[in-house]
Amino acid sequence: MTARIVLLVTSPRLPAGLLTAAAWDVVRQHPVLTGADSELTTAVRQAGAEVTVLDGPATQPLLDAVATHGTVVWLAGPAGDEALARELGLRLARQPGLAEMELMYGSWDPPGARLLDAVAVLDRLASPGGDPWKRAQTHRSLAGYLLEESYEAYDAISADDTDALREELGDVLLQVVLHARLAEELPEDERWTIDDVAGGLVDKMIRRNPHVFAGAEAGTLEEITENWERIKRAEKARHSVLDGVALSQPALALATQILDRAARRGIDVPPPPADTQADPEARLGADLLARVAAAREAGIDPEAALRRTTLAHAEAIRQAEPPPPPPPPPASPR
């Protein structure tokens, strides 16, 4: 029978003991060695398997054990023990008659598993002994950072830079997880957690997508959108078509959304004429609102239009700038 070292790798993000049937078979049938005690070693022992914890280098003890037992299992730690796998691989490449090495996955990270790591890292940073800056923050002090990171993600989308988008969405996620961690410190009747955030999102998506989760007929995209809005109105019980509009968004986007909401409900209130306004600021505001209304009628996004023209003007300013002065010459040695 071929001598065999089984490197058993498991997900540290799943409950200890949640292994495949093949993994349970191999740990019950053969000696198990590992580098440290853990919840997983406890679970394996409780299932009747023999587990030996090695203190120090593991390559030679594994080879000694395989020479005695024929097959042994190395229960890898949370990081996968890549250095040991590499060392064993090199040794067996030089001396192939000692044993064969097999990599076995006893469990895998489910999709989204690294989100658990993000929660754990932010918990460490915002707990006693963590990062003083993060511990000093509040929802209000972080508000500007959430906007800033969202704008940077928007810039990455506008630039079609998907690598930058991945990084910027990570910064947005940091803000979400940090806000949730800070909420755990609120008074008991106000407290909530990241699981409350995720749970609310999941429940909302299931309620508002009955064509996916409840067997309802999908229909057209317009019908799906209208059904979403109908369910949303029933959930929110709002008194005005404008309830829920984010008033802190940029003014052009705010004006566009308010006009869209009114038109969706068939409410026709013309913008105020600019020449009836009492002061220059009000006249300018009325003129801009009228232009937003005209852009909407033409199917143009005024926020995007102004951004495009402003960025082109910024480039023209850069081209008109004088070149920077040359760097000073290096000082001569004395």
Side-chain angles (χ1 to χ4, degrees), residues 252 302-318:
L252 284 179
E303 182 82 19
L306 180 59
R307 180 182 301 275
R308 174 182 175 182
T309 302
T310 301
L311 291 176
H313 188 59
E315 184 58 32
I317 291 174
R318 289 192 181 94

Side-chain angles (χ1 to χ4, degrees), residues 9-10 12 76-83:
V9 178
T10 60
D81 294 353
E82 291 184 11

Side-chain angles (χ1 to χ4, degrees), residues 8-326:
L8 182 59
V9 178
T10 60
S11 168
R13 301 170 186 91
L14 293 178
L18 191 61
L19 303 178
T20 63
W24 276 120
D25 286 343
V26 76
V27 297
R28 287 188 177 116
Q29 293 170 8
H30 306 289
V32 179
L33 285 72
T34 190
D37 271 317
S38 64
E39 292 182 358
L40 181 55
T41 60
T42 300
V44 171
R45 286 193 182 101
Q46 288 175 346
E50 173 192 343
V51 181
T52 302
V53 177
L54 298 181
D55 182 16
T59 297
Q60 192 56 52
L62 274 170
L63 293 174
D64 294 341
V66 82
T68 302
H69 300 284
T71 295
V72 294
V73 179
W74 176 260
L75 191 59
D81 294 353
E82 291 184 11
L84 173 62
R86 190 180 307 111
E87 184 179 339
L88 268 174
L90 291 173
R91 178 74 177 271
L92 296 178
R94 293 194 303 268
Q95 297 175 276
L98 294 177
E100 293 181 355
M101 186 167 62
E102 174 186 343
L103 178 63
M104 176 180 290
Y105 286 94
S107 59
W108 298 265
D109 282 346
R114 295 310 302 270
L115 292 174
L116 299 176
D117 293 345
V119 172
V121 167
L122 266 296
D123 178 66
R124 172 82 179 275
L125 289 171
S127 294
D131 176 23
W133 186 88
K134 290 181 176 58
R135 286 179 51 76
Q137 300 311 302
T138 65
H139 296 305
R140 187 174 294 275
S141 72
L142 289 171
Y145 295 104
L146 180 58
L147 277 178
E148 180 183 346
E149 302 299 356
S150 298
Y151 282 131
E152 290 181 3
Y154 185 98
D155 285 345
I157 293 172
S158 299
D160 292 323
D161 189 339
T162 55
D163 287 337
L165 177 60
R166 180 187 65 237
E167 179 181 352
E168 299 304 340
L169 288 176
D171 291 339
V172 174
L173 178 62
L174 183 153
Q175 295 299 313
V176 172
V177 178
L178 182 54
H179 275 284
R181 176 60 184 82
L182 295 178
E184 295 182 29
E185 307 294 334
L186 294 173
E188 187 171 356
D189 58 341
E190 302 175 26
R191 193 175 303 160
W192 43 270
T193 70
I194 190 65
D195 287 320
D196 296 315
V197 175
L201 170 64
V202 169
D203 292 344
K204 181 190 295 184
M205 292 300 100
I206 291 174
R207 285 195 312 269
R208 295 189 186 178
N209 291 277
H211 56 288
V212 176
F213 297 104
E217 186 175 341
T220 65
L221 290 178
E222 290 77 12
E223 291 170 341
I224 291 172
T225 302
E226 174 53 35
N227 196 39
W228 173 285
E229 293 296 335
R230 179 185 59 78
I231 296 170
K232 183 177 178 179
R233 288 194 298 270
E235 290 174 357
K236 297 291 185 179
R238 288 171 171 163
H239 302 292
S240 167
V241 67
L242 301 183
D243 287 349
V245 172
L247 301 180
S248 59
Q249 62 184 302
L252 284 179
L254 173 63
T256 302
Q257 189 172 10
I258 286 176
L259 294 174
D260 283 343
R261 288 282 191 98
R264 211 180 301 163
R265 295 289 290 273
I267 301 172
D268 185 13
V269 178
D275 56 8
T276 66
Q277 303 305 303
D279 60 80
E281 182 179 284
R283 286 193 291 275
L284 177 60
D287 183 56
L288 289 173
L289 182 57
R291 290 177 181 272
V292 171
R296 182 185 169 280
E297 289 297 324
I300 298 172
D301 179 351
E303 182 82 19
L306 180 59
R307 180 182 301 275
R308 174 182 175 182
T309 302
T310 301
L311 291 176
H313 188 59
E315 184 58 32
I317 291 174
R318 289 192 181 94
Q319 296 297 326
E321 285 181 305

